[in-house]
């Protein structure tokens, strides 16, 4: 067999593996969909997709990968990257820490001493991060954010207005966090505008295919493997992946790091992205959530992928998948 044929065989057995994985977990009905706003509560709980994009520009997809949903907290990863580009690492560290909290994502807490939110992957830290996005008007800030998302996905991005409106009307905890941070001078007076931008970033529409491509862009030093365009300055990849690794899966982040061992981020609409540096980006979508608000099937799929292919960053006993490098 030629090398080309070898690669094709490996690729098709990987696709079959993903199809089997999808059928295995399709019957898992544990968990419940987010219900804090009607738009999320009415989602079909059976939706389920797995996509993997490699840094070489190959994509593997199974299930409902065209289904659109709001990105929710997964947006925090990418907005953090934009804020790093806007202000640099040192300034950002004065405004948002990099410590995991061990608390729920929407806990109303700040670091006792520094008054910073703990990290950019929980709501308080994300609101502070979003408030730092540069632009001369609210419209310009939103457009810069949408352009940034577009660099990761390779196509135009839009906000779901009804989700945005619901988030905005019901987001009292987020508003409380913003006021607490305003009290301590951690965010500025334009609090309502920053909150609107935060609710808009949560309401950006993506599908599972997009998630995989966005994750693959992070795996590929910030360059979208399909468009070949730079989405984020490569010097910030290690900052982004570090906080994803330690803080991305809410108060499950430690167990995730231990078991799955790759940087990841989840959102309440049921998405998870996971990044295997220099190899691939994983996107999973399934709206049934566990009590920590991580997708039940999403966690299972990532655990199994990691075990099967030795993706844990500290696993040296395994040869990583050879057909994508
Ligand atoms: N819009 C949600 C919020 O701000 C996002 C939370 C999430 O995905 N964890 O509460």
């Amino acid at each position: 067999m030629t090398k080309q044929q070898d690669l094709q065989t490996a690729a098709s057995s990987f696709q079959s593996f993903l199809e089997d994985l999808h059928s295995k977990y399709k019957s898992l009905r544990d968990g419940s969909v987010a219900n804090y706003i009607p738009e999320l509560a009415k989602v079909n709980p059976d939706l389920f997709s797995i996509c993997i994009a490699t840094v070489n520009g190959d994509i593997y997809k199974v299930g409902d990968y065209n289904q659109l949903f709001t990105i929710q907290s997964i947006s925090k990863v990418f907005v953090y990257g934009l804020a790093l580009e806007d202000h640099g690492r040192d300034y950002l560290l004065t405004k948002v820490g990099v410590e995991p909290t061990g608390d729920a994502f929407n806990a109303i807490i700040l670091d006792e001493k520094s008054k910073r939110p703990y990290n950019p992957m929980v709501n308080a830290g994300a609101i502070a991060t979003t408030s730092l996005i540069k632009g001369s008007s609210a419209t310009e800030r939103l457009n810069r954010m949408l352009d940034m998302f577009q660099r990761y996905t390779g196509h135009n991005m839009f906000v779901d207005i009804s989700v945005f409106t619901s988030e905005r009307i019901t987001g009292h905890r987020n508003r409380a966090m913003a006021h607490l941070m305003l009290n301590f001078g951690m965010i500025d007076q334009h609090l309502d505008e920053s909150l609107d931008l935060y609710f808009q970033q949560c309401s950006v529409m993506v599908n599972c295919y997009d998630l995989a491509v966005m994750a693959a862009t992070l795996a590929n030093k910030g360059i979208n493997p399909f468009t070949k365009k730079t989405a984020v300055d490569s010097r910030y990849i290690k900052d982004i992946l570090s906080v994803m690794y330690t803080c991305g899966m809410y108060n499950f982040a430690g167990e995730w790091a231990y078991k799955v061992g790759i940087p990841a981020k989840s959102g309440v609409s049921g998405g998870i992205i996971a990044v295997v540096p220099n190899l691939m980006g994983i996107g999973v979508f399934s709206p049934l959530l566990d009590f920590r608000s991580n997708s039940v099937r999403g966690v299972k799929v990532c655990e199994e992928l990691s075990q099967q292919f030795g993706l844990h960053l500290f696993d040296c006993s395994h040869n990583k998948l050879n057909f994508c490098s």
Side-chain angles (χ1 to χ4, degrees), residues 36 72-73 76 105 123 167 174 198 202 250 266-269:
Y36 69 95
Q72 295 294 346
S73 275
K76 291 169 177 158
F105 65 89
N123 286 14
E167 294 277 355
N174 289 325
Y198 171 76
C202 291
Y250 310 132
S266 66
V268 284
S269 48

Side-chain angles (χ1 to χ4, degrees), residues 104-157:
F105 65 89
N106 57 2
I108 307 180
I109 41 160
L110 300 178
D111 179 73
E112 193 72 30
K113 190 156 178 290
S114 66
K115 309 300 181 205
R116 291 176 309 178
Y118 276 89
N119 69 69
M121 302 290 111
V122 292
N123 286 14
I127 294 166
T129 306
T130 301
S131 77
L132 294 170
I133 297 307
K134 285 187 177 166
S136 57
S137 64
T139 309
E140 192 183 320
R141 286 189 279 278
L142 174 62
N143 286 338
R144 286 193 69 235
M145 192 178 272
L146 292 174
D147 285 349
M148 174 275 291
F149 281 120
Q150 176 175 351
R151 291 195 294 276
Y152 281 96
T153 62
H155 60 77
N156 284 342
M157 302 300 286

